[in-house]
Amino acid sequence: MKTIQFREAIQQAMSEEMRKDDTIYLMGEEVAEYNGAYKASKGMLDEFGPDRVIDTPISELGFTGIGIGSAMNGNRPIIEFMTFNFALVGIDQIINNAAKMRQMSGGQFNIPIVFRGPTGSAGQLGATHSQAFESWFANCPGLKVVVPSNPYDAKGLLKAAIRDDDPVIFMESEQMYGDKGEVPEEDYIVPIGVADIKREGTDVTIVSFGKIIKEAYKAADELEKDGISCEIIDLRTVRPLDYDAIYKSVKKTNRLVILEEAWPFGNVATEITYQVQENAFDYLDAPIIKINTADTPAPYSPVLLKNWIPNSEDVVKAVRKVLYK
């Protein structure tokens, strides 16, 4: 195992797969000459050249469509968005072409393409640069949606996504690129659609994913001081979603808190809440609590932003509530 940064895990996953398959290429804004907006493609232009590491203009609709078209013709593109906020410019191509082409062509066309880049808030970037669209993309049949929270999972999941024959939305975070973690030096993948129990516990299940899961870890450490044992599940993938892992944990702990960096209406936590009450209701000893951002655009003010985004204190309060403490 070697300790590397999240951005290095992303770079390694792409480079290792590109060395094995010359149909794979990376395209997006600043991915080549600048080594990536967040240095996640550092050195790749030098190794693979401008035909496989391609800088684009600020034209998400255009290069998203080019990527999908090339995937239909035998390539395996990796399309980087500087942020998924900008993916909205190309969302017509993603939803109406990438997600539907296999079905509409009667299986004649696979779309082996990865759309990757950061999601959610990264601090004081304003309302239009701080949005989490995981549930938007997960709502669309034909897309897989992956949101890793650490370098190990990021590398293994990205390699799985690149090898997948269907379109994959791979969502990262500007605030995780510098995070460090141990990653094997040998080849490995993390299968898409399999959640991971990051911390075993007996009193309450906390489900989360992406960078916001760090707040769950902080809360669990705080609650442990009072003898409260939290089981933390990292979804890693929100489409397909590993319901069985959640049901199994809830049957053990009998309580569920869901932490998600998203607006409260119609999100991933909402779907989990419904499925658990439908399939594990008899095991619940308290109502499910979901923790989301405030139901407003993200504020720029640091004071307001701190109150807008969920934190460990919110998790502690929710856990105490489901435990009636």
Side-chain angles (χ1 to χ4, degrees), residues 10-25:
I10 296 295
Q11 189 271 350
Q12 287 183 11
M14 293 190 293
S15 296
E16 288 172 14
E17 294 303 304
M18 287 174 67
R19 290 180 194 122
K20 293 185 291 187
D21 184 347
D22 60 11
T23 67
I24 302 169
Y25 67 89

Side-chain angles (χ1 to χ4, degrees), residues 278-296:
E278 174 72 12
N279 296 290
F281 180 81
D282 290 343
Y283 294 90
L284 289 171
D285 288 342
I288 299 166
I289 293 180
K290 65 188 191 80
I291 305 168
N292 298 111
T293 67
D295 195 17
T296 68

Side-chain angles (χ1 to χ4, degrees), residues 17-311:
E17 294 303 304
M18 287 174 67
R19 290 180 194 122
K20 293 185 291 187
D21 184 347
D22 60 11
T23 67
I24 302 169
Y25 67 89
L26 172 65
M27 180 165 61
E29 297 156 0
E30 299 185 350
V31 299
E33 295 288 346
Y34 193 66
N35 286 311
Y38 312 103
K39 300 298 180 279
S41 54
K42 185 176 181 180
M44 292 181 65
L45 175 63
D46 292 338
E47 179 175 357
F48 299 105
D51 290 338
R52 297 185 66 197
V53 182
I54 306 167
D55 276 333
T56 70
I58 301 174
S59 54
E60 287 81 9
L61 176 61
F63 64 76
T64 298
I66 289 170
I68 295 167
S70 73
M72 293 174 65
N73 283 277
N75 292 303
R76 307 184 76 88
I78 305 166
I79 304 300
E80 177 180 313
F81 297 115
M82 196 177 293
T83 160
F84 264 95
N85 295 280
F86 302 160
L88 297 189
V89 182
I91 201 169
D92 172 60
Q93 293 284 352
I94 297 171
I95 300 298
N96 282 325
N97 292 320
K100 296 178 173 63
M101 191 56 66
R102 183 173 183 177
Q103 185 204 50
M104 292 178 68
S105 69
Q108 295 180 81
F109 290 103
N110 289 333
I111 311 293
I113 189 169
V114 176
F115 301 100
R116 51 158 293 269
T119 183
S121 169
Q124 289 180 265
L125 297 181
T128 59
H129 289 64
S130 304
Q131 302 168 110
F133 294 122
E134 293 90 342
S135 61
W136 284 34
F137 290 110
N139 186 255
C140 182
L143 298 177
K144 297 175 181 178
V145 183
V146 177
V147 194
S149 67
N150 60 79
Y152 176 90
D153 288 346
K155 183 175 180 179
L157 284 164
L158 184 51
K159 289 171 76 74
I162 293 169
R163 297 179 191 182
D164 202 290
D165 286 331
D166 293 313
V168 180
I169 308 293
F170 194 93
M171 309 181 93
E172 303 154 16
S173 169
E174 293 102 317
Q175 293 184 329
M176 290 197 300
Y177 285 120
D179 289 0
K180 294 182 178 180
E182 290 189 335
V183 173
E185 297 190 59
E186 66 273 12
D187 186 43
Y188 74 99
I189 65 165
V190 174
I192 292 173
V194 179
D196 188 34
I197 298 176
K198 298 298 189 188
R199 179 172 179 149
E200 293 193 358
T202 56
D203 295 326
V204 60
T205 299
I206 302 174
V207 173
S208 189
F209 59 92
K211 77 171 188 292
I212 202 69
I213 200 172
K214 297 177 186 179
E215 301 301 316
Y217 298 145
K218 294 177 188 175
D221 288 340
E222 184 65 28
L223 290 160
E224 189 176 36
K225 297 174 184 177
D226 294 332
I228 297 172
S229 174
C230 299
E231 180 147 295
I232 299 177
I233 296 178
D234 185 346
L235 292 178
R236 303 196 290 196
T237 303
V238 299
R239 179 83 177 226
L241 205 153
D242 190 353
Y243 294 110
D244 288 339
I246 301 171
Y247 300 153
K248 184 177 180 180
S249 181
V250 168
K251 289 176 180 179
K252 178 173 67 171
T253 68
N254 310 117
R255 293 169 174 84
L256 175 61
V257 171
I258 310 164
L259 172 64
E260 178 186 6
E261 183 184 344
W263 296 305
F265 186 90
N267 50 39
V268 176
T270 304
E271 169 65 13
I272 294 171
T273 299
Y274 171 78
Q275 293 295 340
V276 171
Q277 69 83 29
E278 174 72 12
N279 296 290
F281 180 81
D282 290 343
Y283 294 90
L284 289 171
D285 288 342
I288 299 166
I289 293 180
K290 65 188 191 80
I291 305 168
N292 298 111
T293 67
D295 195 17
T296 68
Y300 179 78
S301 160
V303 177
L304 294 176
L305 184 64
K306 184 179 179 180
N307 286 277
W308 178 82
I309 196 166
N311 58 41

